[in-house]
Amino acid sequence: MTLRRPLSVLSLSLCLGFSAPAAAEEPEAAALPSTPQTAPKPTDAPTAPTLPPLGPDTRLYFANINFLRWNPLGMETQNRIILQKRMFDGESMLTRDNFVNGAFAIKANPASVKVGPVFEIQPLAIFNLRATYEYVRYFGTFGFLQSYNNPMLDFSDDARDLTEDAAYSTSGHHYMVEPTLQARFGSFVVRSKASIEYWNVALREGNGASFYDALLDTLIPGRGWVFTNDTDLMMLTTPQLTLGARFSGVWPRYQDGSGGAQNVDNSHTRIGPMLAYALNTREGSSFNRPTILLNFAWYLNHPNRGGALPYMMGAFAFTSDFLGG
């Protein structure tokens, strides 16, 4: 089957959110002292809890993830080269997993390419913040990019197929700030990642125009804001297998040509199960934790995707260490 809808999807760290966050991937620290072989003497001091080992002070690595999805149909490869530095030697579970890093990212699919720098900081295991700039280039292939002077127009798959010849090549800029909260309770992990995005894409219709974006699966303002959220509840069943559920939502905001707000609702939400299986758990090698990711979801609301048809996504991800792994 020919893939006609390119997929621009989540960055690697979010995709690995199908499995545990970095702190949760470490073996669980002992909450209690180990059972002594003999009764302790009254003067014996209690055994201190065991913390996971510190990560490398400096790390240079490559991260890759490749996606295929249906409803909407699409595919994409995402790649980052990352230089990471531990901020300090944390002495508790809350501060142990800390880092700051800089990366260069390339996302490519048959209809577009995005390139740019990424900055990420995690001062505590429960909080991560990422900032991204992307230069975006649309090739005008596979019916992309199509733009509209009114966000109330029909942008369904069938409607875009009929106007595929109207697609054209253009470019623009995409800015993202992505705060993430995450926590582990025993074998369970809760993770919520928001995204605050600003788009500035040159469209034929000028100010107030919008275009269909395959990643977000809705009309995006040519100049304006989009808000998203992915919230996961996961269970770490084995070192290799993670099961869970994900809620996803997208909320675009539109303006007219004079800069006034337009009250048009092209938001959508979906929810469904997910699975991540690591073929091995090796770290510090040229092929770390090759992982298969699966997500199925049903739309709670969508302008064009009502009914029983599910969203389906499959992906394969891995990392490769060059230094400090």
Side-chain angles (χ1 to χ4, degrees), residues 250-275:
V250 177
W251 299 271
R253 296 291 181 264
Y254 306 103
Q255 294 181 337
D256 58 27
S258 60
Q262 288 186 279
N263 189 21
V264 178
D265 185 9
N266 283 327
S267 64
H268 65 81
T269 57
R270 63 177 183 258
I271 191 170
M274 60 184 183
L275 174 152

Side-chain angles (χ1 to χ4, degrees), residues 10-22 25 61 63-65 67 78 80 82 99 101 118 120 122 128-130 132 178 180 182 191 193 232 234 246 293 317 319:
L10 307 176
S11 61
L12 182 68
S13 66
L14 172 58
C15 301
L16 294 181
F18 281 94
S19 56
E25 289 176 357
Y61 66 103
N64 166 270
I65 187 160
F67 287 90
Q78 300 188 357
R80 290 189 297 154
I82 304 163
F99 60 83
N101 70 40
V118 183
E120 187 174 357
Q122 183 167 299
N128 179 285
L129 182 65
R130 176 181 295 183
T132 303
E178 300 169 293
T180 299
Q182 54 196 12
R191 188 172 186 270
K193 172 184 171 293
D232 305 328
M234 298 169 283
R246 165 166 288 185
L293 310 166
T319 63

Side-chain angles (χ1 to χ4, degrees), residues 42 51 114 155 192 300:
L51 293 173
K114 300 176 181 176
F155 61 92
S192 183
L300 303 176

Side-chain angles (χ1 to χ4, degrees), residues 94-105:
L94 184 63
T95 61
R96 199 72 169 172
D97 186 25
N98 67 83
F99 60 83
V100 60
N101 70 40
F104 182 77

Side-chain angles (χ1 to χ4, degrees), residues 3 11 18 27 40 82 86 102 111 115 130 142 144 148 170 173 177 181 213 254 287 308:
L3 296 177
S11 61
F18 281 94
I82 304 163
R86 188 173 69 243
V115 297
R130 176 181 295 183
F142 296 91
F144 291 88
Y148 306 81
T170 189
H173 311 278
V177 176
L181 295 174
D213 179 74
Y254 306 103
F287 197 51

Side-chain angles (χ1 to χ4, degrees), residues 7-299:
L7 171 64
S8 175
V9 286
L10 307 176
S11 61
L12 182 68
S13 66
L14 172 58
C15 301
L16 294 181
F18 281 94
S19 56
E25 289 176 357
E26 299 288 351
E28 185 176 358
L32 298 172
S34 58
T35 304
Q37 299 300 313
T38 59
K41 298 179 182 179
T43 56
D44 285 347
T47 305
T50 303
L51 293 173
L54 284 170
D57 179 70
T58 302
R59 184 186 181 197
L60 177 66
Y61 66 103
F62 170 75
N64 166 270
I65 187 160
N66 303 287
F67 287 90
L68 177 65
R69 78 174 182 182
W70 183 78
N71 197 27
L73 187 64
M75 63 186 300
E76 183 167 281
T77 181
Q78 300 188 357
N79 305 272
R80 290 189 297 154
I81 184 74
I82 304 163
L83 179 61
Q84 181 168 294
K85 172 73 175 176
R86 188 173 69 243
M87 298 172 65
F88 55 90
D89 295 345
E91 298 182 354
S92 69
M93 291 297 294
L94 184 63
T95 61
R96 199 72 169 172
D97 186 25
N98 67 83
F99 60 83
V100 60
N101 70 40
F104 182 77
I106 300 177
K107 304 175 184 177
N109 59 56
S112 68
V113 64
K114 300 176 181 176
V115 297
V118 183
F119 173 79
E120 187 174 357
I121 185 170
Q122 183 167 299
L124 300 172
I126 61 171
F127 178 72
N128 179 285
L129 182 65
R130 176 181 295 183
T132 303
Y133 163 77
E134 295 176 333
Y135 170 78
V136 186
R137 183 70 188 180
Y138 294 93
F139 307 138
T141 56
F142 296 91
F144 291 88
L145 174 146
Q146 295 187 49
S147 55
Y148 306 81
N149 59 14
N150 187 335
M152 297 183 67
L153 295 177
D154 184 5
F155 61 92
S156 64
D157 294 344
D158 290 341
R160 286 183 289 107
D161 285 344
L162 293 174
T163 57
E164 187 171 326
D165 291 342
Y168 59 96
S169 176
T170 189
S171 61
H173 311 278
H174 181 209
Y175 308 84
M176 291 187 292
V177 176
E178 300 169 293
T180 299
L181 295 174
Q182 54 196 12
R184 178 173 176 174
F185 306 93
S187 296
F188 291 91
V189 175
V190 179
R191 188 172 186 270
S192 183
K193 172 184 171 293
S195 180
I196 303 166
E197 308 184 17
Y198 184 79
W199 292 80
N200 185 354
V201 177
L203 302 179
R204 287 176 175 172
E205 294 80 1
N207 292 339
S210 56
F211 67 98
Y212 177 79
D213 179 74
L215 160 61
L216 300 173
D217 191 28
T218 190
L219 287 188
I220 302 304
R223 288 185 177 88
W225 299 91
V226 179
F227 304 95
T228 76
N229 178 263
D230 290 286
T231 297
D232 305 328
L233 174 61
M234 298 169 283
M235 181 174 66
L236 311 179
T237 57
T238 72
Q240 291 178 265
L241 178 63
T242 301
L243 301 175
R246 165 166 288 185
F247 167 85
S248 296
V250 177
W251 299 271
R253 296 291 181 264
Y254 306 103
Q255 294 181 337
D256 58 27
S258 60
Q262 288 186 279
N263 189 21
V264 178
D265 185 9
N266 283 327
S267 64
H268 65 81
T269 57
R270 63 177 183 258
I271 191 170
M274 60 184 183
L275 174 152
Y277 183 77
L279 302 179
N280 65 62
T281 58
R282 289 193 300 268
E283 297 288 356
S285 72
S286 61
F287 197 51
N288 298 327
R289 295 188 66 89
T291 301
I292 297 171
L293 310 166
L294 298 174
N295 180 213
F296 301 88
W298 284 263
Y299 289 97

